[in-house]
Amino acid sequence: MSFLRNKRLLFALCVLLIVATFLLFSAPGRLAIVRWNEAVWDYRAIRHYRYTFKNESFAFAHYLDGVVIEVHDNQTISLIRKSNNHPIDPAIFREYDTMPKYFQRLAAIIGRHPTKYIALYDLQTGVPRYVTIDFSASTTDDEYILTVTDFEVLP
């Protein structure tokens, strides 16, 4: 009897491992995780917030110190460089300047089937805190590390 129970338990663990692998490493699984966290974000209905965003990539080398973004009712009201508090051209970060746009950008990135995509989300808000992307293991300068820090809900 215990042998049969152990065999069933082993089978269940194997199925769970296969499902977890699918969710972590396939495009549909990765997209489902983005959509889940976007739903968490929508459920929380946060309308006024501020965060520091960093895009550590070759294209954004001048902004490695991060930008502080403030959003109210899904409209960016402030976009300043963290190191010197100077305003930044909004066009530079338009794909990341609100959480809904950030989720859309992540979904688009997954649609390009990167060879490496790892994301960590805040469990309470759904905010993508850390995302690392590499589109091709054999190509240099195509890696991205996106981080959100100092996230705060404002009154």
Side-chain angles (χ1 to χ4, degrees):
M1 183 82 170
S2 68
F3 174 74
L4 185 58
R5 188 177 347 170
N6 288 341
K7 195 173 182 180
R8 286 182 183 162
L9 180 60
L10 182 60
F11 177 76
L13 287 174
C14 287
V15 169
L16 183 61
L17 182 61
I18 290 168
V19 170
T21 301
F22 173 79
L23 285 175
L24 292 175
F25 298 109
S26 71
R30 291 171 175 169
L31 185 57
I33 292 170
V34 169
R35 295 298 183 221
W36 171 266
N37 283 286
E38 185 176 23
V40 170
W41 173 260
D42 290 342
Y43 176 78
R44 298 279 296 163
I46 299 169
R47 298 289 172 235
H48 191 195
Y49 54 96
R50 179 184 308 126
Y51 60 98
T52 300
F53 177 79
K54 289 183 188 178
N55 182 338
E56 298 177 39
S57 68
F58 183 72
F60 289 86
H62 297 295
Y63 300 99
L64 289 178
D65 55 335
V67 295
V68 178
I69 301 170
E70 185 174 339
V71 178
H72 190 264
D73 289 332
N74 283 329
Q75 299 295 318
T76 304
I77 58 174
S78 175
L79 186 67
I80 59 172
R81 191 170 186 164
K82 187 172 182 173
S83 62
N84 60 15
N85 289 329
H86 290 149
I88 295 175
D89 179 7
I92 296 171
F93 288 91
R94 73 178 168 270
E95 295 176 320
Y96 308 98
D97 67 356
T98 68
M99 281 301 140
K101 288 182 187 178
Y102 190 21
F103 284 116
Q104 289 175 356
R105 180 69 179 135
L106 293 178
I109 287 168
I110 290 168
R112 292 178 54 197
H113 304 284
T115 58
K116 179 181 178 184
Y117 179 91
I118 299 169
L120 302 174
Y121 297 87
D122 182 276
L123 296 176
Q124 304 232 332
T125 62
V127 171
R129 293 293 192 160
Y130 175 86
V131 181
T132 182
I133 305 146
D134 190 354
F135 289 102
S136 173
S138 62
T139 305
T140 57
D141 297 336
D142 71 334
E143 302 88 6
Y144 293 82
I145 298 174
L146 310 173
T147 57
V148 171
T149 58
D150 306 322
F151 180 86
E152 62 180 310
V153 178
L154 301 173

